[in-house]
Amino acid sequence: MHWTDLHGSFMKQAFEKVLGSNPARGSVAFVRCLTPDVVAELAAADSFALQGWQVYRVAGEHAVEQRSITADQAVELREAKEAPILLLIDTEEAGAGMDGIYSAAQEVAEADLFKSAQRLAETEIGKRLSKPTRQYAEAAIKFARRQSKHYNISLWTEFDYLVRVVAERRDPGELLDLLGLWPVDPDETVKTEDALRASQIFVERLLAAPSPNLTPAQRVASLQLLDPSDRQKNDLERLVRSTATQPLLSALRQLAGQRHLWVNQLRLAGDSATLQSLQLVPWRSSNGKLVTWSGLEKGEAEGEDRMVPPVFYLSPNKPKKAAKL
């Protein structure tokens, strides 16, 4: 996780919105939906200082610098009923003895917390970067949620993606691997919806639910790429082969330094607006008869010795027999 001051700042504002900044004396709130690494970063971050609240991380040790206390100390603070406290629970290290706090204190709901945090991050993207960039990032999260059959992204992951976009001033497509999608190289000529759809197709055909019946070369061929170089095809096959047993996010992380494999560097043939080839198909079968799919009918000859071309006729009186071409 790439922690930034914005992570702490946005989370601070989100907590204050959910809990309020003027709590009553003796108030106790806790949150246990955050992963241990996030809890540790928040407790140590100078930017995470809530108005009206004392913040503590509840883990397996007492460390003043990390604002870390044990479960027993947390219980003592609750019973003292003095300054309002917010407890960031490290669910792996807090251990036993927290039941009294869980039953008597206010729990911060994950959905409420991240609804506020994400909105703050989205607003900042619009301010610091642009409105289209914000819309792109929001659309990317919606696309990622549709990928739930392959990988369930957490609310923290969505929030982290938005913060990384604004903190690093990156195009949202460049960080799509955080959401379980294939990275997209910025290209203003490609619509956001088309780029995200291509990103989804890359993941589904190359990395998601790999089939033992398809070789890496066959999986790459299934993309029907538009004029890929030999290097691109070889590197894609190597990626598919090396990530066959890895979780999706770990596999996608390998693309960070391989921009030549990103969407828009590689294009799907079906997305190209340029005519690639023409194929001439006979209207007649091998025995000289007009093929049905053409919708053509035999023309009427003006004379027995005169050849006439077939006709394409749409009958207004027989719509069910209308030509289908």
Side-chain angles (χ1 to χ4, degrees), residues 14-15 17-18 106-119 155:
F15 269 104
K17 181 173 180 60
V18 173
Q106 175 187 356
E107 181 170 11
V108 177
E110 182 180 24
D112 295 338
L113 177 64
F114 283 102
K115 181 179 180 181
S116 297
Q118 288 190 23
R119 186 177 292 115
L155 293 177

mmCIF file with all atom_site columns, all heavy atoms in Angstrom, residues 14-15 17-18 106-119 155:
data_model
loop_
_atom_site.group_PDB
_atom_site.id
_atom_site.type_symbol
_atom_site.label_atom_id
_atom_site.label_alt_id
_atom_site.label_comp_id
_atom_site.label_asym_id
_atom_site.label_entity_id
_atom_site.label_seq_id
_atom_site.pdbx_PDB_ins_code
_atom_site.Cartn_x
_atom_site.Cartn_y
_atom_site.Cartn_z
_atom_site.occupancy
_atom_site.B_iso_or_equiv
_atom_site.pdbx_formal_charge
_atom_site.auth_seq_id
_atom_site.auth_comp_id
_atom_site.auth_asym_id
_atom_site.auth_atom_id
_atom_site.pdbx_PDB_model_num
ATOM 1   N N   . ALA A 1 14  ? -13.895 12.082 6.955  1.00 0.00 ? 14  ALA A N   1
ATOM 2   C CA  . ALA A 1 14  ? -14.990 11.116 6.879  1.00 0.00 ? 14  ALA A CA  1
ATOM 3   C C   . ALA A 1 14  ? -15.425 10.678 8.276  1.00 0.00 ? 14  ALA A C   1
ATOM 4   O O   . ALA A 1 14  ? -16.626 10.582 8.575  1.00 0.00 ? 14  ALA A O   1
ATOM 5   C CB  . ALA A 1 14  ? -14.568 9.900  6.052  1.00 0.00 ? 14  ALA A CB  1
ATOM 6   N N   . PHE A 1 15  ? -14.466 10.418 9.154  1.00 0.00 ? 15  PHE A N   1
ATOM 7   C CA  . PHE A 1 15  ? -14.795 10.033 10.532 1.00 0.00 ? 15  PHE A CA  1
ATOM 8   C C   . PHE A 1 15  ? -15.527 11.165 11.244 1.00 0.00 ? 15  PHE A C   1
ATOM 9   O O   . PHE A 1 15  ? -16.489 10.928 11.988 1.00 0.00 ? 15  PHE A O   1
ATOM 10  C CB  . PHE A 1 15  ? -13.520 9.664  11.305 1.00 0.00 ? 15  PHE A CB  1
ATOM 11  C CG  . PHE A 1 15  ? -13.164 8.207  11.235 1.00 0.00 ? 15  PHE A CG  1
ATOM 12  C CD1 . PHE A 1 15  ? -12.142 7.759  10.416 1.00 0.00 ? 15  PHE A CD1 1
ATOM 13  C CD2 . PHE A 1 15  ? -13.847 7.274  12.016 1.00 0.00 ? 15  PHE A CD2 1
ATOM 14  C CE1 . PHE A 1 15  ? -11.804 6.415  10.354 1.00 0.00 ? 15  PHE A CE1 1
ATOM 15  C CE2 . PHE A 1 15  ? -13.524 5.926  11.963 1.00 0.00 ? 15  PHE A CE2 1
ATOM 16  C CZ  . PHE A 1 15  ? -12.497 5.487  11.131 1.00 0.00 ? 15  PHE A CZ  1
ATOM 17  N N   . LYS A 1 17  ? -17.380 13.410 9.940  1.00 0.00 ? 17  LYS A N   1
ATOM 18  C CA  . LYS A 1 17  ? -18.735 13.527 9.401  1.00 0.00 ? 17  LYS A CA  1
ATOM 19  C C   . LYS A 1 17  ? -19.652 12.462 10.005 1.00 0.00 ? 17  LYS A C   1
ATOM 20  O O   . LYS A 1 17  ? -20.805 12.731 10.333 1.00 0.00 ? 17  LYS A O   1
ATOM 21  C CB  . LYS A 1 17  ? -18.717 13.387 7.874  1.00 0.00 ? 17  LYS A CB  1
ATOM 22  C CG  . LYS A 1 17  ? -20.090 13.522 7.223  1.00 0.00 ? 17  LYS A CG  1
ATOM 23  C CD  . LYS A 1 17  ? -20.005 13.545 5.721  1.00 0.00 ? 17  LYS A CD  1
ATOM 24  C CE  . LYS A 1 17  ? -21.385 13.687 5.080  1.00 0.00 ? 17  LYS A CE  1
ATOM 25  N NZ  . LYS A 1 17  ? -22.061 14.927 5.483  1.00 0.00 ? 17  LYS A NZ  1
ATOM 26  N N   . VAL A 1 18  ? -19.118 11.243 10.162 1.00 0.00 ? 18  VAL A N   1
ATOM 27  C CA  . VAL A 1 18  ? -19.923 10.148 10.697 1.00 0.00 ? 18  VAL A CA  1
ATOM 28  C C   . VAL A 1 18  ? -20.137 10.293 12.210 1.00 0.00 ? 18  VAL A C   1
ATOM 29  O O   . VAL A 1 18  ? -21.244 10.070 12.711 1.00 0.00 ? 18  VAL A O   1
ATOM 30  C CB  . VAL A 1 18  ? -19.257 8.788  10.379 1.00 0.00 ? 18  VAL A CB  1
ATOM 31  C CG1 . VAL A 1 18  ? -19.990 7.648  11.074 1.00 0.00 ? 18  VAL A CG1 1
ATOM 32  C CG2 . VAL A 1 18  ? -19.241 8.551  8.873  1.00 0.00 ? 18  VAL A CG2 1
ATOM 33  N N   . GLN A 1 106 ? -20.129 2.757  20.311 1.00 0.00 ? 106 GLN A N   1
ATOM 34  C CA  . GLN A 1 106 ? -20.684 2.980  18.979 1.00 0.00 ? 106 GLN A CA  1
ATOM 35  C C   . GLN A 1 106 ? -19.735 2.456  17.915 1.00 0.00 ? 106 GLN A C   1
ATOM 36  O O   . GLN A 1 106 ? -18.569 2.830  17.873 1.00 0.00 ? 106 GLN A O   1
ATOM 37  C CB  . GLN A 1 106 ? -20.914 4.482  18.754 1.00 0.00 ? 106 GLN A CB  1
ATOM 38  C CG  . GLN A 1 106 ? -21.372 4.836  17.336 1.00 0.00 ? 106 GLN A CG  1
ATOM 39  C CD  . GLN A 1 106 ? -21.422 6.339  17.090 1.00 0.00 ? 106 GLN A CD  1
ATOM 40  O OE1 . GLN A 1 106 ? -21.187 7.137  18.005 1.00 0.00 ? 106 GLN A OE1 1
ATOM 41  N NE2 . GLN A 1 106 ? -21.708 6.734  15.859 1.00 0.00 ? 106 GLN A NE2 1
ATOM 42  N N   . GLU A 1 107 ? -20.222 1.591  17.041 1.00 0.00 ? 107 GLU A N   1
ATOM 43  C CA  . GLU A 1 107 ? -19.378 1.087  15.958 1.00 0.00 ? 107 GLU A CA  1
ATOM 44  C C   . GLU A 1 107 ? -19.589 1.946  14.716 1.00 0.00 ? 107 GLU A C   1
ATOM 45  O O   . GLU A 1 107 ? -20.723 2.256  14.334 1.00 0.00 ? 107 GLU A O   1
ATOM 46  C CB  . GLU A 1 107 ? -19.698 -0.369 15.636 1.00 0.00 ? 107 GLU A CB  1
ATOM 47  C CG  . GLU A 1 107 ? -18.817 -0.930 14.523 1.00 0.00 ? 107 GLU A CG  1
ATOM 48  C CD  . GLU A 1 107 ? -18.937 -2.424 14.345 1.00 0.00 ? 107 GLU A CD  1
ATOM 49  O OE1 . GLU A 1 107 ? -19.855 -3.036 14.930 1.00 0.00 ? 107 GLU A OE1 1
ATOM 50  O OE2 . GLU A 1 107 ? -18.100 -2.993 13.610 1.00 0.00 ? 107 GLU A OE2 1
ATOM 51  N N   . VAL A 1 108 ? -18.482 2.314  14.097 1.00 0.00 ? 108 VAL A N   1
ATOM 52  C CA  . VAL A 1 108 ? -18.537 3.085  12.856 1.00 0.00 ? 108 VAL A CA  1
ATOM 53  C C   . VAL A 1 108 ? -18.827 2.116  11.710 1.00 0.00 ? 108 VAL A C   1
ATOM 54  O O   . VAL A 1 108 ? -18.060 1.179  11.463 1.00 0.00 ? 108 VAL A O   1
ATOM 55  C CB  . VAL A 1 108 ? -17.209 3.820  12.608 1.00 0.00 ? 108 VAL A CB  1
ATOM 56  C CG1 . VAL A 1 108 ? -17.267 4.572  11.270 1.00 0.00 ? 108 VAL A CG1 1
ATOM 57  C CG2 . VAL A 1 108 ? -16.914 4.780  13.752 1.00 0.00 ? 108 VAL A CG2 1
ATOM 58  N N   . ALA A 1 109 ? -19.933 2.336  10.999 1.00 0.00 ? 109 ALA A N   1
ATOM 59  C CA  . ALA A 1 109 ? -20.329 1.447  9.901  1.00 0.00 ? 109 ALA A CA  1
ATOM 60  C C   . ALA A 1 109 ? -19.423 1.651  8.691  1.00 0.00 ? 109 ALA A C   1
ATOM 61  O O   . ALA A 1 109 ? -19.157 2.788  8.284  1.00 0.00 ? 109 ALA A O   1
ATOM 62  C CB  . ALA A 1 109 ? -21.779 1.691  9.516  1.00 0.00 ? 109 ALA A CB  1
ATOM 63  N N   . GLU A 1 110 ? -18.940 0.554  8.125  1.00 0.00 ? 110 GLU A N   1
ATOM 64  C CA  . GLU A 1 110 ? -18.025 0.620  6.980  1.00 0.00 ? 110 GLU A CA  1
ATOM 65  C C   . GLU A 1 110 ? -18.649 1.377  5.811  1.00 0.00 ? 110 GLU A C   1
ATOM 66  O O   . GLU A 1 110 ? -17.998 2.222  5.188  1.00 0.00 ? 110 GLU A O   1
ATOM 67  C CB  . GLU A 1 110 ? -17.643 -0.798 6.560  1.00 0.00 ? 110 GLU A CB  1
ATOM 68  C CG  . GLU A 1 110 ? -16.662 -0.851 5.405  1.00 0.00 ? 110 GLU A CG  1
ATOM 69  C CD  . GLU A 1 110 ? -16.306 -2.268 5.020  1.00 0.00 ? 110 GLU A CD  1
ATOM 70  O OE1 . GLU A 1 110 ? -17.116 -3.187 5.308  1.00 0.00 ? 110 GLU A OE1 1
ATOM 71  O OE2 . GLU A 1 110 ? -15.231 -2.475 4.421  1.00 0.00 ? 110 GLU A OE2 1
ATOM 72  N N   . ALA A 1 111 ? -19.913 1.084  5.493  1.00 0.00 ? 111 ALA A N   1
ATOM 73  C CA  . ALA A 1 111 ? -20.556 1.714  4.336  1.00 0.00 ? 111 ALA A CA  1
ATOM 74  C C   . ALA A 1 111 ? -20.657 3.223  4.512  1.00 0.00 ? 111 ALA A C   1
ATOM 75  O O   . ALA A 1 111 ? -20.394 3.995  3.576  1.00 0.00 ? 111 ALA A O   1
ATOM 76  C CB  . ALA A 1 111 ? -21.941 1.115  4.126  1.00 0.00 ? 111 ALA A CB  1
ATOM 77  N N   . ASP A 1 112 ? -21.035 3.668  5.697  1.00 0.00 ? 112 ASP A N   1
ATOM 78  C CA  . ASP A 1 112 ? -21.160 5.115  5.957  1.00 0.00 ? 112 ASP A CA  1
ATOM 79  C C   . ASP A 1 112 ? -19.808 5.804  5.884  1.00 0.00 ? 112 ASP A C   1
ATOM 80  O O   . ASP A 1 112 ? -19.679 6.900  5.322  1.00 0.00 ? 112 ASP A O   1
ATOM 81  C CB  . ASP A 1 112 ? -21.782 5.354  7.331  1.00 0.00 ? 112 ASP A CB  1
ATOM 82  C CG  . ASP A 1 112 ? -23.214 4.865  7.417  1.00 0.00 ? 112 ASP A CG  1
ATOM 83  O OD1 . ASP A 1 112 ? -23.849 4.729  6.356  1.00 0.00 ? 112 ASP A OD1 1
ATOM 84  O OD2 . ASP A 1 112 ? -23.697 4.622  8.538  1.00 0.00 ? 112 ASP A OD2 1
ATOM 85  N N   . LEU A 1 113 ? -18.787 5.154  6.452  1.00 0.00 ? 113 LEU A N   1
ATOM 86  C CA  . LEU A 1 113 ? -17.449 5.749  6.486  1.00 0.00 ? 113 LEU A CA  1
ATOM 87  C C   . LEU A 1 113 ? -16.900 5.955  5.084  1.00 0.00 ? 113 LEU A C   1
ATOM 88  O O   . LEU A 1 113 ? -16.440 7.044  4.722  1.00 0.00 ? 113 LEU A O   1
ATOM 89  C CB  . LEU A 1 113 ? -16.515 4.856  7.299  1.00 0.00 ? 113 LEU A CB  1
ATOM 90  C CG  . LEU A 1 113 ? -15.050 5.302  7.379  1.00 0.00 ? 113 LEU A CG  1
ATOM 91  C CD1 . LEU A 1 113 ? -14.938 6.629  8.107  1.00 0.00 ? 113 LEU A CD1 1
ATOM 92  C CD2 . LEU A 1 113 ? -14.209 4.228  8.073  1.00 0.00 ? 113 LEU A CD2 1
ATOM 93  N N   . PHE A 1 114 ? -16.977 4.914  4.260  1.00 0.00 ? 114 PHE A N   1
ATOM 94  C CA  . PHE A 1 114 ? -16.355 5.008  2.936  1.00 0.00 ? 114 PHE A CA  1
ATOM 95  C C   . PHE A 1 114 ? -17.216 5.757  1.930  1.00 0.00 ? 114 PHE A C   1
ATOM 96  O O   . PHE A 1 114 ? -16.704 6.260  0.925  1.00 0.00 ? 114 PHE A O   1
ATOM 97  C CB  . PHE A 1 114 ? -16.000 3.615  2.424  1.00 0.00 ? 114 PHE A CB  1
ATOM 98  C CG  . PHE A 1 114 ? -14.752 3.077  3.079  1.00 0.00 ? 114 PHE A CG  1
ATOM 99  C CD1 . PHE A 1 114 ? -14.829 2.145  4.093  1.00 0.00 ? 114 PHE A CD1 1
ATOM 100 C CD2 . PHE A 1 114 ? -13.508 3.544  2.696  1.00 0.00 ? 114 PHE A CD2 1
ATOM 101 C CE1 . PHE A 1 114 ? -13.690 1.671  4.707  1.00 0.00 ? 114 PHE A CE1 1
ATOM 102 C CE2 . PHE A 1 114 ? -12.355 3.072  3.304  1.00 0.00 ? 114 PHE A CE2 1
ATOM 103 C CZ  . PHE A 1 114 ? -12.447 2.133  4.316  1.00 0.00 ? 114 PHE A CZ  1
ATOM 104 N N   . LYS A 1 115 ? -18.497 5.854  2.188  1.00 0.00 ? 115 LYS A N   1
ATOM 105 C CA  . LYS A 1 115 ? -19.321 6.704  1.333  1.00 0.00 ? 115 LYS A CA  1
ATOM 106 C C   . LYS A 1 115 ? -18.841 8.150  1.435  1.00 0.00 ? 115 LYS A C   1
ATOM 107 O O   . LYS A 1 115 ? -18.708 8.850  0.415  1.00 0.00 ? 115 LYS A O   1
ATOM 108 C CB  . LYS A 1 115 ? -20.784 6.608  1.763  1.00 0.00 ? 115 LYS A CB  1
ATOM 109 C CG  . LYS A 1 115 ? -21.729 7.454  0.918  1.00 0.00 ? 115 LYS A CG  1
ATOM 110 C CD  . LYS A 1 115 ? -23.174 7.307  1.378  1.00 0.00 ? 115 LYS A CD  1
ATOM 111 C CE  . LYS A 1 115 ? -24.114 8.150  0.543  1.00 0.00 ? 115 LYS A CE  1
ATOM 112 N NZ  . LYS A 1 115 ? -25.529 8.023  1.006  1.00 0.00 ? 115 LYS A NZ  1
ATOM 113 N N   . SER A 1 116 ? -18.559 8.600  2.641  1.00 0.00 ? 116 SER A N   1
ATOM 114 C CA  . SER A 1 116 ? -18.051 9.962  2.847  1.00 0.00 ? 116 SER A CA  1
ATOM 115 C C   . SER A 1 116 ? -16.630 10.108 2.333  1.00 0.00 ? 116 SER A C   1
ATOM 116 O O   . SER A 1 116 ? -16.287 11.099 1.677  1.00 0.00 ? 116 SER A O   1
ATOM 117 C CB  . SER A 1 116 ? -18.097 10.317 4.338  1.00 0.00 ? 116 SER A CB  1
ATOM 118 O OG  . SER A 1 116 ? -19.423 10.329 4.821  1.00 0.00 ? 116 SER A OG  1
ATOM 119 N N   . ALA A 1 117 ? -15.780 9.109  2.606  1.00 0.00 ? 117 ALA A N   1
ATOM 120 C CA  . ALA A 1 117 ? -14.378 9.194  2.207  1.00 0.00 ? 117 ALA A CA  1
ATOM 121 C C   . ALA A 1 117 ? -14.232 9.215  0.689  1.00 0.00 ? 117 ALA A C   1
ATOM 122 O O   . ALA A 1 117 ? -13.450 9.998  0.137  1.00 0.00 ? 117 ALA A O   1
ATOM 123 C CB  . ALA A 1 117 ? -13.603 8.016  2.798  1.00 0.00 ? 117 ALA A CB  1
ATOM 124 N N   . GLN A 1 118 ? -14.988 8.369  -0.007 1.00 0.00 ? 118 GLN A N   1
ATOM 125 C CA  . GLN A 1 118 ? -14.901 8.342  -1.463 1.00 0.00 ? 118 GLN A CA  1
ATOM 126 C C   . GLN A 1 118 ? -15.407 9.636  -2.086 1.00 0.00 ? 118 GLN A C   1
ATOM 127 O O   . GLN A 1 118 ? -14.847 10.128 -3.064 1.00 0.00 ? 118 GLN A O   1
ATOM 128 C CB  . GLN A 1 118 ? -15.680 7.148  -2.019 1.00 0.00 ? 118 GLN A CB  1
ATOM 129 C CG  . GLN A 1 118 ? -15.015 5.807  -1.760 1.00 0.00 ? 118 GLN A CG  1
ATOM 130 C CD  . GLN A 1 118 ? -15.668 4.678  -2.534 1.00 0.00 ? 118 GLN A CD  1
ATOM 131 O OE1 . GLN A 1 118 ? -16.323 4.887  -3.550 1.00 0.00 ? 118 GLN A OE1 1
ATOM 132 N NE2 . GLN A 1 118 ? -15.498 3.460  -2.055 1.00 0.00 ? 118 GLN A NE2 1
ATOM 133 N N   . ARG A 1 119 ? -16.465 10.181 -1.511 1.00 0.00 ? 119 ARG A N   1
ATOM 134 C CA  . ARG A 1 119 ? -16.991 11.434 -2.054 1.00 0.00 ? 119 ARG A CA  1
ATOM 135 C C   . ARG A 1 119 ? -15.957 12.557 -1.928 1.00 0.00 ? 119 ARG A C   1
ATOM 136 O O   . ARG A 1 119 ? -15.801 13.376 -2.835 1.00 0.00 ? 119 ARG A O   1
ATOM 137 C CB  . ARG A 1 119 ? -18.283 11.809 -1.330 1.00 0.00 ? 119 ARG A CB  1
ATOM 138 C CG  . ARG A 1 119 ? -18.964 13.034 -1.943 1.00 0.00 ? 119 ARG A CG  1
ATOM 139 C CD  . ARG A 1 119 ? -20.281 13.356 -1.282 1.00 0.00 ? 119 ARG A CD  1
ATOM 140 N NE  . ARG A 1 119 ? -21.274 12.321 -1.557 1.00 0.00 ? 119 ARG A NE  1
ATOM 141 C CZ  . ARG A 1 119 ? -21.808 11.535 -0.625 1.00 0.00 ? 119 ARG A CZ  1
ATOM 142 N NH1 . ARG A 1 119 ? -21.439 11.661 0.637  1.00 0.00 ? 119 ARG A NH1 1
ATOM 143 N NH2 . ARG A 1 119 ? -22.707 10.633 -0.948 1.00 0.00 ? 119 ARG A NH2 1
ATOM 144 N N   . LEU A 1 155 ? -14.155 -1.766 -0.138 1.00 0.00 ? 155 LEU A N   1
ATOM 145 C CA  . LEU A 1 155 ? -14.403 -0.321 -0.165 1.00 0.00 ? 155 LEU A CA  1
ATOM 146 C C   . LEU A 1 155 ? -13.103 0.449  0.039  1.00 0.00 ? 155 LEU A C   1
ATOM 147 O O   . LEU A 1 155 ? -12.923 1.538  -0.514 1.00 0.00 ? 155 LEU A O   1
ATOM 148 C CB  . LEU A 1 155 ? -15.424 0.046  0.910  1.00 0.00 ? 155 LEU A CB  1
ATOM 149 C CG  . LEU A 1 155 ? -16.838 -0.493 0.678  1.00 0.00 ? 155 LEU A CG  1
ATOM 150 C CD1 . LEU A 1 155 ? -17.746 -0.137 1.853  1.00 0.00 ? 155 LEU A CD1 1
ATOM 151 C CD2 . LEU A 1 155 ? -17.413 0.060  -0.617 1.00 0.00 ? 155 LEU A CD2 1
#
